Amino acid sequence: MNKPTMLDAALEYASRGWAVFPCSPGGKIPFKGTNGSIDATTDEQQIRDWWEANPNANVALATGSKSGLHVIDIDAARSDVAPRLQTTLIARTRNGGWHYFYKYPAGVASLPNTSKKAKEPLHPDVDTRGEGGYVLVFPSVVDGDKGNPDATGVYQWVNYVDPVEMPSWIVEHIKPKPVALIPRATCAMKPATS
């Protein structure tokens, strides 16, 4: 994809069925007056209204069932998790990391966002963006991390291809675990005595 306007990019993503919304120019915060991924849409008129009013607004893409995508967010330029991931739609992030976009798995009710700081992370370098989450996408720009030589501030597609199915080992790791129900003990009531 050649460098389009923010509006053209937002319309292109919407044409693929990916719900978008505007973020502050140069930032990652949902644009004032929107509710972030809750308001994300593929509606052409709404998208035109947003970006015609704010042509420099960054483009955010809602993840989860809203766009049918789940994103593996690798926060390192080099990570031993990357070779384990199937080739799919991939973007280079502003800080030199990677976004791997996968199809939201069929038959899974909800896959949450996860953090590398969680008790059982997918990987020490990895966050994921699922239901209710979002990521910025090309041609969005955010100031890079000044101390990071890999930071460019730019989101850029590495390969603009159709996303593939998410690896099953990732689905199994991040899908909510069933909670065991423990039956409550019932106590026998003694009849009242007079």
Side-chain angles (χ1 to χ4, degrees):
M1 180 187 280
N2 293 326
K3 179 122 188 205
T5 66
M6 297 292 188
L7 171 59
D8 289 342
L11 290 171
E12 157 69 12
Y13 302 139
S15 75
R16 296 187 72 165
W18 302 340
V20 297
F21 65 93
C23 280
S24 57
K28 297 171 74 172
I29 297 171
F31 211 80
K32 188 175 180 179
T34 71
N35 294 303
S37 62
I38 294 169
D39 288 348
T41 186
T42 58
D43 180 75
E44 181 178 342
Q45 190 56 57
Q46 178 61 72
I47 293 167
R48 286 187 183 283
D49 290 348
W50 280 333
W51 271 277
E52 285 170 2
N54 305 289
N56 295 320
N58 276 334
V59 182
L61 190 150
T63 55
S65 57
K66 203 154 202 179
S67 293
L69 297 170
H70 198 93
V71 175
I72 306 304
D73 180 2
I74 304 173
D75 286 332
R78 290 156 211 75
S79 172
D80 62 358
V81 76
R84 297 179 59 198
L85 299 175
Q86 284 89 333
T87 299
T88 187
L89 174 64
I90 302 171
R92 185 81 165 167
T93 68
R94 70 184 181 105
N95 282 329
W98 308 93
H99 283 164
Y100 281 66
F101 293 76
Y102 290 102
K103 287 182 188 176
Y104 200 77
V108 178
S110 178
L111 283 179
N113 298 309
T114 65
S115 170
K116 61 182 169 281
K117 296 176 184 172
K119 185 177 177 184
E120 294 181 28
L122 179 64
H123 186 277
D125 297 332
V126 173
D127 295 321
T128 69
R129 296 290 170 254
E131 208 59 45
Y134 68 92
V135 294
L136 291 188
V137 288
F138 174 79
S140 298
V141 177
V142 176
D143 285 338
D145 176 357
K146 308 247 185 292
N148 178 353
D150 296 311
T152 63
V154 177
Y155 289 82
Q156 183 70 48
W157 293 117
V158 174
N159 59 341
Y160 194 61
V161 299
D162 289 333
V164 300
E165 298 292 331
M166 194 155 79
S168 59
W169 65 271
I170 295 176
V171 175
E172 290 307 311
H173 187 88
I174 64 178
K175 78 178 179 183
K177 308 296 184 257
V179 177
L181 296 176
I182 301 168
R184 269 200 250 173
T186 56
C187 52
M189 299 284 292
K190 292 183 179 178
T193 56
S194 46

